[in-house]
Amino acid sequence: MRRSSELAISGAWATAVAFGPARIGYGLFLPKFRELFGLSQSNAGLIASAAFAGFFVALLFTGMLVARRGARLPVVLGSITALAGFVLVAFAENVTVLALGVVLAATSAGFCWTPFNDAVEQAVDESRHARTLSIVSTGTTVGIACSGALAIAVAGSSHGWRAVWVLFAVAALVSALGNGWALRRLRAPAQHATTRKLTWSAWARPALPLYAIAGSFGITNSIYLSFAVDRVSHSGGLPGLAAELAGPVLYVAFGFGGLFGLLTADIKQRTGLPALVRFILICSCVSVGLIGGWPTAWWSVLLSAALQGLCVMVLSAIFSFWSESLYPSKPTLGFTVVLSLFAAGNIIGPVLAGYSATAFGPASMFFATAAVSLITAVLFPSRVRQR
């Protein structure tokens, strides 16, 4: 019990840092960065793309690193890259330093999450795997909510944003030290005879439904995160709220909605995995559709963001414990395959959405995106193999 709690808390802290400020901090403070550093829209997009590339490369490298050195090194390394990135951004005086800091911070998301599948497999009783991994995944929502709250706190301040990034750096330092301690007892990885078998069986039929929802949600979630704030702002914003606060408010609601991800393992035991997946995909459909249809209503934006946060956290937990149960001998490798498909959806989604919005309008684009989630829910099989 104690070991499970220790890993859950340290893992949740790591994902809070890596998928909170390290992942979405740039977008939260982009209006301030554009004002201070004279960023054009194209340059801002290039920095964002470079950050995603850093995440993707780190994700692939982590699978190899865990296989050779175990879970502790990549998690600590990810926390350190987040720390370095945060410090660079906090003290940046030009675009080059800013961009380097943003990319370094973003790589931490690739390092800090997937190794916990191996850590939990080694150190936690099997009956507590799903719950522990759900808690680790849900750390993301705390990081996002806290980042949004800090952005609201310093809105309108010319230098307060730098203090916020220093606080981000402190959180990353705590993550590095805490996870270095919590993961210290994990044994060194062994060379399993099943490694080659897993490589060739990664696309086995039982895993295809998992891969399908990872790719589908990668598309819809990336479109939401890329265009939801822009949709609200260009539609007139939220009544009675300054335009620059629309993004932070949306992310705070997103974070609080994701807290329900803590219940993923318990709900899955009661309803079964197929019913839970269908429900979450329908929530994704509603979330995206609300932003497309009612982007200036408080009730719609808050409900949409909360539902999207719920979807992210519940599906993140499902990705984690389902891949761990399908490939128990190499849980990090199996999880990396799933997240790679999610990342591929991240690449495809915004590109398609950009062309669609230009050709048919943003509302139609959001409704088409909502349809992707709905179709995936309808086609998801009623019975799946979880082992």
Side-chain angles (χ1 to χ4, degrees):
M1 178 73 75
R2 179 179 178 182
R3 191 69 173 132
S4 173
S5 299
E6 190 177 75
L7 280 176
I9 293 171
S10 63
W13 191 281
T15 55
V17 171
F19 284 86
R23 183 79 162 147
I24 58 97
Y26 173 68
L28 268 179
F29 289 94
L30 183 56
K32 178 65 69 176
F33 294 154
R34 292 187 64 179
E35 174 189 338
L36 291 176
F37 299 102
L39 283 175
S40 66
Q41 190 168 5
S42 59
N43 286 337
L46 285 173
I47 293 174
S49 296
F52 178 80
F55 160 70
F56 187 70
V57 170
L59 180 66
L60 297 179
F61 183 59
T62 297
M64 296 183 290
L65 197 59
V66 171
R68 298 186 179 193
R69 300 294 300 274
R72 185 187 187 194
L73 178 61
V75 175
V76 174
L77 179 61
S79 299
I80 291 173
T81 59
L83 170 62
F86 292 150
V87 170
L88 286 175
V89 172
F91 296 98
E93 296 294 340
N94 57 63
V95 174
T96 302
V97 176
L98 173 70
L100 179 59
V102 169
V103 173
L104 265 178
T107 61
S108 66
F111 285 119
C112 282
W113 188 14
T114 59
F116 281 98
N117 274 42
D118 264 60
V120 170
E121 174 68 25
Q122 282 192 35
V124 177
D125 185 82
E126 185 175 0
S127 64
R128 302 186 63 83
H129 281 190
R131 181 174 286 103
T132 304
L133 290 172
S134 294
I135 294 172
V136 170
S137 300
T138 309
T140 301
T141 196
V142 177
I144 291 174
C146 290
S147 299
L150 287 172
I152 292 173
V154 301
S157 171
S158 58
H159 298 291
W161 68 271
R162 293 186 185 272
V164 171
W165 284 79
V166 170
L167 290 176
F168 291 164
V170 172
L173 178 60
V174 172
S175 176
L177 295 175
N179 280 284
W181 174 262
L183 303 177
R184 69 194 183 283
R185 296 177 182 171
L186 296 181
R187 64 179 182 271
Q191 295 298 321
H192 294 286
T194 57
T195 300
R196 180 171 297 180
K197 180 181 179 182
L198 175 60
T199 302
W200 286 103
S201 66
W203 300 99
R205 187 173 179 180
L208 295 184
L210 171 60
Y211 296 161
I213 61 173
S216 172
F217 190 66
I219 291 172
T220 59
N221 179 247
S222 63
I223 292 172
Y224 188 93
L225 294 180
S226 297
F227 297 103
V229 174
D230 187 69
R231 170 67 171 158
V232 173
S233 300
H234 280 79
S235 299
L238 295 171
L241 186 71
E244 66 269 20
L245 291 179
V249 166
L250 185 145
Y251 277 114
V252 169
F254 185 105
F256 278 108
L259 289 174
F260 288 97
L262 288 166
L263 304 175
T264 301
D266 296 317
I267 296 174
K268 177 240 180 187
Q269 287 182 349
R270 293 172 180 267
T271 66
L273 185 60
L276 177 58
V277 169
R278 286 201 189 95
F279 171 74
I280 290 301
L281 289 171
I282 291 171
C283 287
S284 173
C285 173
V286 173
S287 169
V288 177
L290 286 173
I291 284 291
W294 297 273
T296 59
W298 275 92
W299 69 269
S300 174
V301 171
L302 293 179
L303 178 59
S304 171
L307 285 175
Q308 192 67 200
L310 171 68
C311 294
V312 168
M313 292 303 98
V314 171
L315 284 175
S316 295
I318 289 173
F319 294 163
S320 183
F321 64 66
W322 193 359
S323 62
E324 187 264 348
S325 65
L326 281 173
Y327 300 115
S329 64
K330 289 289 182 181
T332 292
L333 183 58
F335 194 20
T336 299
V337 174
V338 175
L339 288 189
S340 296
L341 288 168
F342 177 78
N346 287 169
I347 297 172
I348 296 169
V351 174
L352 295 178
Y355 285 113
S356 176
T358 301
F360 306 106
S364 297
M365 179 272 287
F366 274 102
F367 290 141
T369 302
V372 173
S373 291
L374 181 61
I375 292 170
T376 307
V378 172
L379 296 180
F380 192 78
S382 57
R383 297 181 65 182
V384 294
R385 283 182 59 184
Q386 299 175 51
R387 293 282 171 185

